[in-house]
Amino acid sequence: MNTLDSKIPEGPLAQKWTNYKANQRLVNPANKRKLDVIVVGTGLAGASAAASLGAMGFNVDIFCISDSPRRAHSIAAQGGINAAKNYQNDGDSVGRLFYDTIKGGDYRAREANVYRLAEVSNNIIDQCVAQGVPFAREYSGLLDNRSFGGAQVSRTFYARGQTGQQLLLGAYGALSHQIARGTVKLHERHEMLDLVLVDGKARGIIARDLTTGEIKRFAAHAVVLATGGYGNIYFLSTNAMNSNGSAEWCCHKKGAYFANPCFVQIHPTCIPVHGDYQSKLTLMSESLRNDGRIWVPKKKEDVEALRKGTLKPTDIKEEDRDYYLERRYPAFGNLVPRDVASRAAKERCDAGFGVNNTGLAVFLDFSTAIQRLGRDVIEARYGNLFQMYEKITAVNPYETPMMIYPAIHYTMGGIWVDYELQTSIPGLFAAGEANFSDHGANRLGASALMQGLADGYFVLPYTLQNYLADEIYSGKVSANSPEFDKAEESVRQRIDALMTIKGSKTVDYFHKKLGLIMWDYVGMGRNAEGLQKGLALIKELEVEFWKDVQVTGTPDSMNPELEKAIRLADYFELAKLMAKDAYHRNESCGGHFREEYQTEDGETLRNDNDYMYVAAWEYQGHNQDEVLHKEPLVYQDIEIKQRNYK
Amino acid sequence: MNFTLKIWRQENAKAKGRFETYKVENISSDCSFLEMLDILNESLISNKIAHPVCFDNDCREGICGMCGLYINGRPHGNDDGVTTCQLHMRKFTDGETIWIEPWRAKAFPVIRDLVVDRTAYDKIIQAGGYVSVSTGGVPDANSILIAKDKADKAMDAAECIGCGACVAACKNASAMLFVSAKVSHLALLPQGKVEAANRVQKMVEKMDELGFGNCTNTYACEAECPKLIKRSNIARLNREWICARVGKEK
Amino acid sequence: MNLPKIASISRKIVVACVGLFLLVFLLVHMGINLCLLRPDDGAWYSAACNFMGTNYIIKVFEVVLFAALIAHIVITVALQIQNWKARPVRYHQPSKSKTSAMSKTMIWTGGLVFVFLALHFVNFYFVKMGWVEGKYMIQSEELITPELQKQYMELSQGLLNEEETIAFQTKMEAVNSIITKAEAENLYSEDLKWIYNLSAEDVKPLEKVVEGVEPDFYHMAYDLFANKIYSFIYLILFVALAFHLIHAMQSAFQTLGLNHNKYNKFIEGFSWVYAIVIALGFAIVPIYIMFFV
């Protein structure tokens, strides 16, 4: 049974978006003023969407979990943003960016969406420059580019190591402009806790004011979900502390399909875990792998000595070091894609060669590069990263090799959307990391920023307008309907349920436990047996959570413990779905690595015959088996290949 | 490591606050300051001592600007160029007494414990801290040439994370470093130049209106800025202001 | 003390401009003070005082100076009050941020300077204006005004009646006694009070007589600085002034937007040098008088 209509426009790939825009319905300015839109999230996708919709004349309410839109986690993206400008004259084009993204995603992304993404990528750069984003310049005054993993051209625009910050500040500026004009109303420190459907359409949300604990209702003609990913389900990830999957999950519970939840990206170069008190993992830019060499000791006795501290990494002789990436992938060496590098590190650590007191780290060594290029050159290239590393670890990476380990970074999966970014609930749209659409099973570096802004600036303003064209007759949506009453009541009940458990263990205790289960069984390497076991453990833990969690304080005041508990309760359900999705997908692709399905060399082995589809899951109720809907992926313009980085 | 913590506790915006004393033990020196507070909170809950201490935090890698505590007399604590989340316990001595206070400013009222309301910053930005460009209809990115040194300087200013440490550090609770960083970022670029005169006036007027103090060029802001934003931006703001006022028609 | 509708930066710019003007004034003032050190029995110093007291351009600037001073004080105090209000709840822990002590104490060093100014006005300026009694330099040729000379001629020609003669004689008596007394003390100085020691009725005509009398700042200064307590206070207040000025000048440049990587170090150094030179220039006079006269 296939109930999924992805609404891909007719025509050749390169014409689809043009055709769509030519035929979409419009709303005249007088009517736009009468139409309300709710945007949840103020990251790149949310802020840019709200700013664009506000500028068009719609009434927008935007919701922000933090004290300011500028805190959204898009701000932490370091490397850059891709665009097919071909300013470097190195043969880049929309087609090539499209191809690289599809291939990088291991052929699990929707072709038409990705093509559109590549098409509008250039407009994003123009838009951002006009907003005053201080991209890096050449001496000529023209824009500079750098190269990034998974591409053979230099197409990445950047603003030092803070590209995400600068792009977000640009979008935040545009948003602030609209707030000043009165077209957008900002609700800071508000968290969406439920979606309200009226006659099957998304008509508003229930949100909790995090300052006062007040439960509030907001009604609108359409709702845009731009709440990012759910990587924090692993407890330790590169995500921000407040990033969470609850907004997505409550929409899912109301009928929005959840697509490919098991597609999670693991970033190979993070600072390793150093203790059980740790709250998050810090990402080190991937660019470090350009000059750093990754190794672990060859001998177990050296590993032991290192862990005890009787041996320093610099004492280990060259012939006793295992440069495993260079050994396994002579062609790409240390520059293999993220998922490959991550898995290789895990493989060595699992085999008992990991370093650090935890045994969960590998060395990233710059001594060869320093000898070859001199310390000055290395300092100029990576000075700020080395400094950051030293601040965190108190180890000088110029003298002692860095230690790195993979960490959860990005979730390619998300709410299922059609070509218009509309979910399976009419009137509910999803943008940015919250949707599933563009990255397939693996996201390329510098593409997340591109997608967030593409959705917000250049896709939603068209597709949402197309939807709202039908809404001009609906009149003002009232928040005083029985549907809102019911939704508010259910939110209150859920909060009460959590508050009244009064158990003995903290929310973080459960979250850390869940994180470990997820990391061990639904992490980098998965297998059927492990996934079954993981699923059982999650269920067990969930039961314990609902019996024994302690949420202190009151619901009617600022209460971070309650916020965390609500999010964790949703994570348990999402975790089960992730395990289920990973279990059902009997192939390896991109970030999803099933140990049963690998090549002789330990690479991903796709099964294009049986699994070339998007797995969109439909919620059936708590602890009920979700129903799978398949959206087949059809590639008209691309030849499907096995990825090979040897 | 063991520490004695003196933490400001305040139920809500209207309640009267007070310092409470807590002890934390066996803290790893590799632990970050916020992780130390996490450990404290876990023990406050587990031992049913008190409601956990509320403090703002998000990215925990020094870029979102959400965290900010006044630790032993310094915003973001005893290290230079870092946010509170990047401060590690190895910067303290074993057995030390650590005083933790929220940002103090009329424009940043306390919401709860160590959490303050910094929406005043957003209001200043909304007063004009942007280029008034709507989506679409913009020229090709490379049609605007920007000298590298100008772009670099703009970027220096644009690195501001809006954490509020400048206000917290300033003896006058002045927001000049924040405002000047935004004004400088845009005034240095041709895209921002167009509205520069209007922008600087509106932002400064809003800043005054919100109850921030005045800059007396003490430069505590510069000393405490986690992103090392320079005082030269404040001078640029003053220049922009003078130019804007001199050229202003009635 | 709120000054509504003038933006903070505009106020600060006024403070900075006025401050720079006062800095220049201090240099001029110091130059005049240094004349005290010349072993010329006050010739240069008196000439300078006389010039400052009589020149019309200076008189205009005197008004500007006072306006400037008042503006400087009023605005900075208003700003300071606003600054205190900007942090209604203070920190428990004192700030450990790396800042200069001078920049943090401007209102206090400024206050000390204000105290000094009050003292100074009592001692010198008010005397000059005749609001406060002080010491005067009496020049006999000026005391014998043309009117007196005319009356003297008329008397010798027998043109004055008895009443007029008595009046003239009373005046001359007074003048003579001033001159005698003054001559006894080397042509200088006597208390105005002594002159007015006559009855109130007699004072009136004398007021005209003493119009030509110049305050004797030179000797007043020497007398004052000979007082060790006064000199000590004076020196302390100039340390405060130095503190004030070290920050004042570079701060004024910053407020006026004059900040440039290339010149910042110079401006900072120059502020120090200028402040120290001014303070030393003023301080050297009492030090000299205390220890070398």
Side-chain angles (χ1 to χ4, degrees):
Chain A
M1 183 189 77
N2 178 20
T3 56
L4 291 173
D5 178 8
S6 50
K7 294 194 206 149
I8 297 168
E10 293 303 312
L13 194 57
Q15 294 303 313
K16 285 183 193 292
W17 182 233
T18 314
N19 289 347
Y20 179 88
K21 287 192 286 185
N23 296 315
Q24 66 153 125
R25 283 160 303 167
L26 300 174
V27 181
N28 86 36
N31 284 330
K32 279 183 187 147
R33 284 195 288 274
K34 295 179 197 154
L35 291 166
D36 302 322
V37 180
I38 283 173
V39 178
V40 187
T42 57
L44 286 181
S48 58
S52 306
L53 294 166
M56 289 162 78
F58 294 107
N59 284 321
V60 183
D61 279 276
I62 188 161
F63 293 82
C64 171
I65 199 168
S66 307
D67 67 338
S68 164
R70 61 184 296 160
R71 313 280 184 223
H73 200 53
S74 305
I75 206 156
Q78 298 170 352
I81 177 165
N82 287 333
K85 281 281 192 189
N86 193 27
Y87 281 158
Q88 305 304 322
N89 194 31
D90 52 8
D92 199 7
S93 64
V94 168
R96 201 172 284 274
L97 174 56
F98 157 70
Y99 176 72
D100 287 345
T101 308
I102 291 280
K103 180 188 170 200
D106 223 355
Y107 305 94
R108 290 295 176 266
R110 188 190 289 145
E111 192 184 52
N113 284 50
V114 177
Y115 196 88
R116 177 179 63 189
L117 174 68
E119 242 181 309
V120 301
S121 66
N122 292 340
N123 305 31
I124 296 171
I125 304 301
D126 298 342
Q127 185 67 33
C128 293
V129 167
Q131 286 169 347
V133 171
F135 282 122
R137 299 270 163 174
E138 293 170 348
Y139 283 103
S140 60
L142 295 167
L143 286 155
D144 193 16
N145 290 116
R146 59 163 64 141
S147 49
F148 234 80
Q152 290 162 305
V153 293
S154 276
R155 63 158 76 101
T156 305
F157 295 80
Y158 65 101
R160 292 205 185 131
Q162 291 109 298
T163 317
Q165 180 198 23
Q166 293 312 315
L167 295 175
L168 183 63
L169 290 183
Y172 165 66
L175 179 66
S176 297
H177 180 205
Q178 294 308 320
I179 294 171
R181 285 184 63 212
T183 56
V184 177
K185 189 164 186 314
L186 172 66
H187 305 267
E188 72 279 338
R189 291 195 197 264
H190 276 66
E191 180 162 16
M192 170 178 176
L193 291 182
D194 207 355
L195 178 77
V196 183
L197 302 189
V198 179
D199 301 332
K201 286 178 176 175
R203 285 300 194 203
I205 65 166
I206 305 293
R208 182 167 176 268
D209 181 334
L210 301 182
T211 309
T212 62
E214 194 185 338
I215 307 292
K216 296 180 182 170
R217 304 169 175 199
F218 298 91
H221 295 92
V223 176
V224 177
L225 199 64
T227 54
Y230 47 88
N232 259 347
I233 198 166
Y234 291 84
F235 189 74
L236 286 179
S237 77
T238 65
N239 283 14
M241 304 308 285
N242 291 325
S243 304
N244 69 80
S246 284
E248 282 170 279
W249 195 253
C250 68
C251 292
H252 177 57
K253 279 160 85 173
K254 284 287 166 83
Y257 297 168
F258 210 115
N260 299 335
C262 78
F263 286 171
V264 175
Q265 183 170 71
I266 295 171
H267 198 288
T269 52
C270 294
I271 297 174
V273 180
H274 43 80
D276 55 5
Y277 50 82
Q278 197 159 352
S279 58
K280 82 155 269 162
L281 296 168
T282 304
L283 182 82
M284 304 285 287
S285 171
E286 218 174 347
S287 61
L288 287 170
R289 287 196 282 143
N290 285 327
D291 287 307
R293 296 178 73 197
I294 295 171
W295 64 276
V296 290
K298 269 184 191 162
K299 297 183 196 158
K300 280 265 167 78
E301 58 263 35
D302 286 348
V303 173
E304 286 304 314
L306 278 168
R307 286 187 200 172
K308 276 186 204 141
T310 50
L311 203 64
K312 278 190 240 151
T314 41
D315 297 337
I316 295 172
K317 288 194 213 81
E318 195 62 28
E319 61 267 29
D320 292 333
R321 299 178 176 190
D322 176 15
Y323 295 96
Y324 58 87
L325 285 178
E326 295 169 32
R327 170 168 59 81
R328 287 176 64 178
Y329 311 100
F332 274 68
N334 293 301
L335 282 172
V336 290
R338 287 177 177 176
D339 53 335
V340 179
S342 298
R343 272 194 297 277
K346 180 176 157 45
E347 188 273 329
R348 279 294 83 191
C349 292
D350 287 351
F353 291 96
V355 292
N356 205 3
N357 52 8
T358 54
L360 292 172
V362 298
F363 289 123
L364 176 63
D365 197 336
F366 284 85
S367 56
T368 321
I370 291 173
Q371 271 168 26
R372 179 164 47 92
L373 302 162
R375 191 184 151 136
D376 296 350
V377 178
I378 295 299
E379 197 169 343
R381 282 185 195 168
Y382 310 111
N384 57 342
L385 292 168
F386 278 34
Q387 207 183 354
M388 178 169 98
Y389 183 84
E390 197 175 346
K391 282 255 191 242
I392 295 174
T393 61
V395 171
N396 179 351
Y398 294 102
E399 282 151 20
T400 311
M402 282 184 183
M403 284 193 282
I404 54 164
Y405 199 65
I408 300 293
H409 181 53
Y410 187 89
T411 51
M412 281 75 69
I415 297 291
W416 182 88
V417 290
D418 59 22
Y419 187 75
E420 296 184 303
L421 302 185
Q422 186 161 214
T423 67
S424 46
I425 299 174
L428 176 68
F429 292 74
E433 193 180 344
N435 75 28
F436 87 101
S437 69
D438 295 339
H439 305 297
N442 177 50
R443 179 179 63 79
L444 288 182
S447 282
L449 302 181
M450 173 171 69
Q451 186 225 339
L453 290 180
D455 289 356
Y457 284 133
F458 299 109
V459 180
L460 277 177
Y462 296 94
T463 60
L464 194 65
Q465 184 172 199
N466 188 50
Y467 171 80
L468 289 172
D470 279 342
E471 296 292 331
I472 53 174
Y473 309 108
S474 340
K476 191 102 188 142
V477 181
S478 164
N480 291 321
S481 60
E483 289 87 350
F484 274 92
D485 294 345
K486 209 178 144 203
E488 184 180 330
E489 190 47 37
S490 80
V491 165
R492 285 185 191 281
Q493 277 172 7
R494 196 167 169 81
I495 290 172
D496 282 348
L498 285 165
M499 295 297 302
T500 48
I501 298 169
K502 299 215 183 299
S504 63
K505 299 197 176 74
T506 65
V507 179
D508 277 358
Y509 164 86
F510 288 104
H511 197 168
K512 282 180 180 176
K513 271 196 134 177
L514 174 67
L516 271 180
I517 296 171
M518 292 301 286
W519 180 250
D520 288 343
Y521 301 105
V522 200
M524 260 190 290
R526 305 154 175 186
N527 57 59
E529 197 191 339
L531 286 165
Q532 289 294 62
K533 191 176 169 198
L535 189 60
L537 288 170
I538 296 165
K539 283 180 179 166
E540 225 172 83
L541 190 65
E542 188 185 20
V543 171
E544 197 194 336
F545 170 82
W546 282 102
K547 268 189 202 147
D548 200 20
V549 73
Q550 190 196 358
V551 184
T552 55
T554 56
D556 54 358
S557 63
M558 176 174 268
N559 190 344
E561 286 302 307
L562 175 62
E563 293 163 29
K564 287 194 285 187
I566 295 170
R567 294 167 196 170
L568 184 57
D570 292 334
Y571 275 145
F572 279 116
E573 297 181 28
L574 175 56
K576 288 181 281 183
L577 183 63
M578 286 171 73
K580 188 181 161 90
D581 183 47
Y583 180 75
H584 115 279
R585 193 170 276 277
N586 289 313
E587 62 161 353
S588 294
C589 58
H592 170 65
F593 188 74
R594 281 284 295 272
E595 283 152 359
E596 308 94 311
Y597 309 101
Q598 51 181 309
T599 63
E600 284 170 11
D601 312 312
E603 303 306 331
T604 55
L605 188 62
R606 285 200 321 264
N607 179 349
D608 289 339
N609 289 332
D610 299 326
Y611 292 97
M612 192 115 100
Y613 62 77
V614 175
W617 298 90
E618 186 185 352
Y619 190 77
Q620 300 291 321
H622 187 64
N623 276 340
Q624 303 291 311
D625 265 353
E626 301 221 359
V627 171
L628 174 65
H629 301 273
K630 296 177 184 176
E631 180 202 339
L633 293 167
V634 184
Y635 293 101
Q636 296 174 333
D637 288 38
I638 260 184
E639 186 197 349
I640 297 157
K641 289 179 187 164
Q642 193 71 30
R643 291 198 307 170
N644 183 2
Y645 294 96
K646 289 213 172 230
Chain B
M1 299 172 92
N2 301 327
F3 302 100
T4 304
L5 306 173
K6 303 269 187 184
I7 300 179
W8 181 261
R9 302 302 308 265
Q10 184 174 336
E11 289 295 309
N12 54 55
K14 285 174 193 143
K16 203 170 152 53
R18 78 238 165 248
F19 282 99
E20 292 282 349
T21 308
Y22 303 111
K23 289 202 186 294
V24 284
E25 282 159 3
N26 295 322
I27 301 291
S28 157
S29 61
D30 286 334
C31 194
S32 80
F33 196 84
L34 297 184
E35 284 163 356
M36 184 273 293
L37 288 179
D38 288 343
I39 294 171
L40 168 72
N41 278 343
E42 289 292 287
S43 82
L44 291 181
I45 302 168
S46 301
N47 301 320
K48 301 202 189 315
I49 298 171
H51 188 271
V53 179
C54 292
F55 57 93
D56 263 335
N57 70 100
D58 199 15
C59 78
R60 296 210 179 185
E61 50 187 275
I63 192 73
C64 74
M66 189 83 171
C67 65
L69 302 174
Y70 195 81
I71 304 162
N72 281 349
R74 286 188 69 186
H76 295 308
N78 186 30
D79 198 357
D80 294 334
V82 297
T83 54
T84 304
C85 63
Q86 294 170 300
L87 179 70
H88 284 76
M89 295 319 289
R90 66 180 82 93
K91 285 277 165 188
F92 296 84
T93 50
D94 195 13
E96 198 176 338
T97 298
I98 305 172
W99 289 84
I100 308 169
E101 303 175 61
W103 285 173
R104 292 288 190 198
K106 185 181 166 195
F108 289 169
V110 172
I111 295 175
R112 178 163 201 175
D113 295 343
L114 303 169
V115 178
V116 298
D117 179 0
R118 283 170 293 196
T119 47
Y121 268 11
D122 293 304
K123 289 180 188 135
I124 293 175
I125 296 294
Q126 283 154 21
Y130 44 77
V131 177
S132 309
V133 56
S134 297
T135 306
V138 296
D140 182 86
N142 253 349
S143 65
I144 305 167
L145 294 182
I146 302 171
K148 186 171 168 26
D149 62 327
K150 278 271 162 80
D152 285 348
K153 264 191 195 164
M155 183 62 203
D156 287 343
E159 284 189 19
C160 168
I161 54 173
C163 65
C166 44
V167 171
C170 178
K171 71 183 182 67
N172 309 326
S174 165
M176 283 283 273
L177 192 67
F178 169 76
V179 175
S180 72
K182 196 70 214 175
V183 165
S184 290
H185 158 208
L186 294 175
L188 281 161
L189 299 171
Q191 306 95 299
K193 202 87 206 163
V194 183
E195 309 169 76
N198 199 28
R199 175 183 308 117
V200 67
Q201 295 184 77
K202 286 194 166 159
M203 289 180 78
V204 169
E205 277 156 20
K206 183 53 92 176
M207 171 183 83
D208 287 350
E209 182 193 316
L210 290 166
F212 288 103
N214 307 284
C215 175
T216 51
N217 305 331
T218 305
Y219 312 132
C221 50
E222 189 187 42
E224 300 300 357
C225 176
K227 295 292 145 186
L228 309 173
I229 308 281
K230 296 273 185 302
R231 70 180 75 163
S232 53
N233 291 303
I234 299 181
R236 188 177 293 105
L237 167 65
N238 292 336
R239 281 203 297 279
E240 289 288 324
W241 173 264
I242 292 169
C243 294
R245 297 305 283 195
V246 168
K248 191 184 182 180
E249 288 176 27
K250 280 276 169 191
Chain C
M1 219 184 329
N2 273 326
L3 305 179
K5 283 183 186 169
I6 306 172
S8 58
I9 298 184
S10 293
R11 296 189 208 176
K12 273 157 45 62
I13 286 164
V14 173
V15 172
C17 291
V18 162
L20 287 176
F21 172 71
L22 293 174
L23 277 168
V24 174
F25 165 75
L26 278 175
L27 195 66
V28 175
H29 193 319
M30 182 192 77
I32 294 171
N33 275 23
L34 287 176
C35 292
L36 280 168
L37 298 181
R38 268 183 68 90
D40 60 359
D41 224 5
W44 276 36
Y45 184 73
S46 300
C49 288
N50 191 35
F51 173 77
M52 296 302 278
T54 51
N55 186 289
Y56 286 108
I57 297 173
I58 300 293
K59 279 194 187 294
V60 171
F61 264 93
E62 210 168 75
V63 176
V64 175
L65 179 70
F66 269 96
L69 203 57
I70 290 165
H72 194 78
I73 293 167
V74 168
I75 299 175
T76 48
V77 168
L79 287 174
Q80 183 61 51
I81 290 170
Q82 215 174 47
N83 291 345
W84 280 325
K85 279 189 190 160
R87 178 163 293 140
V89 184
R90 321 294 295 174
Y91 288 111
H92 180 276
Q93 289 288 294
S95 167
K96 291 192 189 69
S97 303
K98 284 172 213 145
T99 50
S100 72
M102 297 91 184
S103 66
K104 282 192 286 193
T105 49
M106 288 301 275
I107 192 72
W108 307 118
T109 52
L112 283 174
V113 171
F114 179 74
V115 168
F116 169 76
L117 282 178
L119 202 62
H120 189 58
F121 280 155
V122 169
N123 281 334
F124 288 91
Y125 196 78
F126 289 179
V127 171
K128 185 186 157 193
M129 297 302 285
W131 297 340
V132 169
E133 296 159 12
K135 291 191 175 180
Y136 282 79
M137 183 200 330
I138 293 136
Q139 288 155 324
S140 54
E141 56 275 18
E142 284 179 17
L143 283 178
I144 304 174
T145 57
E147 194 195 351
L148 276 178
Q149 284 176 20
K150 189 176 151 230
Q151 283 176 348
Y152 179 74
M153 293 299 290
E154 286 166 352
L155 183 68
S156 59
Q157 290 160 10
L159 293 173
L160 295 181
N161 61 25
E162 197 180 341
E163 207 176 319
E164 285 167 334
T165 309
I166 293 168
F168 173 71
Q169 279 168 347
T170 315
K171 280 180 197 163
M172 277 311 289
E173 207 173 297
V175 167
N176 279 332
S177 69
I178 294 168
I179 291 168
T180 320
K181 188 91 179 165
E183 273 179 342
E185 288 170 31
N186 208 9
L187 245 194
Y188 287 111
S189 148
E190 193 39 90
D191 215 14
L192 196 61
K193 204 168 189 175
W194 179 86
I195 303 169
Y196 286 152
N197 218 0
L198 304 162
S199 72
E201 278 300 303
D202 298 326
V203 166
K204 276 187 183 163
L206 268 177
E207 275 176 353
K208 279 190 178 163
V209 174
V210 295
E211 260 180 359
V213 175
E214 276 295 305
D216 176 12
F217 292 129
Y218 182 77
H219 279 79
M220 280 168 66
Y222 268 77
D223 283 0
L224 272 174
F225 289 140
N227 182 337
K228 292 227 158 52
I229 296 170
Y230 183 87
S231 293
F232 186 69
I233 294 172
Y234 186 92
L235 289 177
I236 291 206
L237 292 174
F238 270 93
V239 172
L241 181 69
F243 256 63
H244 198 73
L245 298 191
I246 286 169
H247 181 66
M249 182 177 275
Q250 43 185 315
S251 183
F253 275 87
Q254 168 82 1
T255 298
L256 295 174
L258 303 171
N259 175 307
H260 193 287
N261 280 341
K262 228 158 120 186
Y263 309 112
N264 285 347
K265 280 274 165 240
F266 172 76
I267 292 172
E268 198 187 326
F270 186 70
S271 300
W272 276 81
V273 171
Y274 195 92
I276 290 169
V277 164
I278 292 278
L280 276 183
F282 277 100
I284 204 162
V285 177
I287 291 172
Y288 173 77
I289 292 172
M290 265 199 296
F291 297 109
F292 301 103
V293 175

